[in-house]
Amino acid sequence: MPAGDPPPPIPGARLLFSLDPAVSYLNHGSFGAVPLSVQRVQQRLRDEVEANPLRFYAQGLLDRIIHTRRHLAAFLGADPDGSALVPNTTAGVSIALQSVRLAAGDEVLLTDHAYGAVMLAAKRQCRRAGATARTVTLPLGATEAEVVSRVRDALRPGRTKLLLVDQVTSGTAQVLPVRQIAAAAREHDIPVLVDGAHVPGMLPVEVGEIGADFWVGNLHKWAFAPRGTALLSVAPGWRRRIEPLGVSWEQDAGFPLSVEFQGTVDYTGWLAAPAGLYALRTLGVETVQAHNAALAAYGQRVVGEALGLAPADLLDPGGPGSMRIVPLPIGLATTQAEAQALRLHIAEKLSAETAVNAWGGRGWLRLCAQVYNRPEEYDRLAERLPALLSAFQRQ
């Protein structure tokens, strides 16, 4: 299939979701969308809780959590005994950060593509320890070799105590070569934490083969799980050092149950997550991934052409990703506050949900593609967006 051409729709996929048909939902990457079948499974679990809360929490809950974790870990190629269910990637990152036990003079190295909340978590942990959070710049469009070289050159053996790198960057939608990056860090015995928030369901992955000390990814984005479902995978040498963010009754059990059991939180999303994988597998994992990657490329092309951009201006994500970015006109959405204002304006005026981010002194429109999207949604956005941006810029 030529790059940028729209793929054929997956029959019946659009009917699996309860999204508002009056809105073009082109931002699956932010909060996902839960299939109706998964919503129903979770509601049945909620009904079970309310029918007898004591029985739900006190009889067999741990076994159900362990069973769910094993199911999800197998899908991701992670060791189920070295993984824990967590609410989201940011929570998993915070657990890993505190487990490294930074000291004064240490540093955490991140890239300038790091997710905002993850950067804040790293800075907070460094501030507590008297350590430093430092970033390495990765230019958009850099080759895999260039990315690995820049990261390797930025490492400071003896001082860098953790390298934190995205597998798929959120704001810039780039797929980074984390396996090669982890190998470079291992040359200096520097632990690696991979933020794989967007990976489950979007990309083929074998977590155990990446070679990271910590890996965490959300299943509530591209793997159709209810929101609040993520998996933290930890290498054997770190498991005894993992501490949960809060202490509850399974503290003495150690990782992973000490992390997973947090009293009377809502576990129904985790327990319903295998239904999300079932929905994904029913559609065909490879079929969904290929469809979404092709449709995202089509959306990037038609919107980019409408904005007068050349093909060279439209970056390839570096892998078969379901998200693509389009550079906005110079001077537009150059701060995150301006980007948020523009996103809300697009949603209100064009009935289209997108992501707008400020990165590198420029505004970027991020377009996602999921099985419920259609080429005409991107066509409508392309037709109406240039005039809206011109008017917005004049305000």
Side-chain angles (χ1 to χ4, degrees):
M1 182 181 298
D5 285 357
I10 297 175
R14 194 181 185 100
L15 301 176
L16 302 178
F17 298 84
S18 55
L19 292 164
D20 184 351
V23 176
S24 293
Y25 200 78
L26 309 178
N27 190 17
H28 187 91
S30 284
F31 298 104
V34 183
L36 284 162
S37 60
V38 183
Q39 294 179 41
R40 290 168 183 149
V41 169
Q42 186 177 17
Q43 187 56 52
R44 287 196 294 271
L45 287 163
R46 289 185 178 126
D47 293 343
E48 179 187 343
V49 174
E50 299 310 325
N52 190 330
L54 184 61
R55 181 173 60 194
F56 179 85
Y57 282 95
Q59 295 177 222
L61 176 58
L62 293 182
D63 288 339
R64 295 171 81 173
I65 291 173
I66 292 169
H67 176 76
T68 298
R69 181 216 310 151
R70 291 186 176 281
H71 191 98
L72 302 183
F75 175 73
L76 297 171
D79 178 1
D81 295 321
S83 302
L85 295 169
V86 292
N88 51 45
T89 292
T90 308
V93 165
S94 293
I95 291 170
L97 281 166
Q98 74 174 14
S99 300
V100 173
R101 299 175 188 172
L102 299 169
D106 292 342
E107 72 171 23
V108 175
L109 181 65
L110 308 95
T111 79
D112 58 343
H113 297 257
Y115 184 62
V118 167
M119 180 67 76
L120 290 172
K123 288 181 176 179
R124 184 186 71 168
Q125 196 64 32
C126 286
R127 186 170 60 250
R128 289 173 170 175
T132 302
R134 186 167 60 89
T135 59
V136 54
T137 299
L138 301 180
L140 284 173
T143 66
E144 288 190 355
E146 289 170 337
V147 168
V148 175
S149 177
R150 280 178 172 263
V151 173
R152 179 186 285 111
D153 290 345
L155 296 172
R156 296 176 179 174
R159 184 171 180 183
T160 306
K161 299 301 181 181
L162 182 68
L163 169 62
L164 203 166
V165 62
D166 299 77
Q167 192 164 356
V168 180
T169 65
S170 179
T172 53
Q174 302 296 291
V175 179
L176 300 184
V178 291
R179 187 171 180 176
Q180 297 94 309
I181 291 172
R186 278 199 307 275
E187 295 171 5
H188 304 289
D189 295 322
I190 294 173
V192 177
L193 166 55
V194 173
D195 176 348
H198 286 276
V199 172
M202 181 196 283
L203 299 178
V205 62
E206 289 291 332
V207 170
E209 296 179 3
I210 292 173
D213 299 84
F214 311 94
W215 183 97
V216 60
N218 293 323
L219 288 104
H220 56 239
K221 289 184 182 289
W222 302 94
F224 296 155
R227 292 170 199 87
T229 306
L231 191 83
L232 169 65
S233 181
V234 179
W238 289 96
R239 293 172 190 173
R240 290 181 177 269
R241 292 184 259 181
I242 296 294
E243 292 287 349
L245 298 179
V247 174
S248 195
W249 283 102
E250 292 300 316
Q251 177 69 14
D252 290 342
F255 183 81
L257 279 177
S258 62
V259 167
E260 292 173 325
F261 187 78
Q262 291 294 309
T264 50
V265 299
D266 185 356
Y267 299 97
T268 62
W270 291 359
L271 301 184
L277 294 185
Y278 179 81
L280 180 60
R281 287 175 168 134
T282 299
L283 294 171
V285 177
E286 293 181 359
T287 298
V288 168
Q289 291 172 346
H291 169 276
N292 293 349
L295 188 56
Y298 174 78
Q300 180 192 45
R301 178 174 68 79
V302 296
V303 173
E305 288 174 353
L307 296 179
L309 298 170
D313 297 323
L314 303 176
L315 294 171
D316 186 279
S322 305
M323 306 189 297
R324 295 274 184 138
I325 55 172
V326 177
L328 293 170
I330 297 294
L332 191 62
T334 57
T335 69
Q336 204 55 38
E338 293 172 355
Q340 174 70 353
L342 178 57
R343 184 195 72 76
L344 292 171
H345 193 66
I346 293 172
E348 178 186 358
K349 299 299 183 181
L350 304 186
S351 295
E353 294 291 356
T354 62
V356 181
N357 294 291
W359 186 87
R362 187 165 187 178
W364 301 85
L365 178 73
R366 190 190 73 184
L367 299 173
C368 300
Q370 188 49 276
V371 295
Y372 50 74
N373 292 126
R374 294 291 182 269
E376 53 266 28
E377 295 178 291
Y378 304 92
D379 295 338
R380 284 196 300 269
L381 180 64
E383 181 181 355
R384 302 173 65 191
L385 185 62
L388 179 140
L389 293 181
S390 295
F392 189 82
Q393 204 162 21
R394 292 195 299 269
Q395 292 180 357

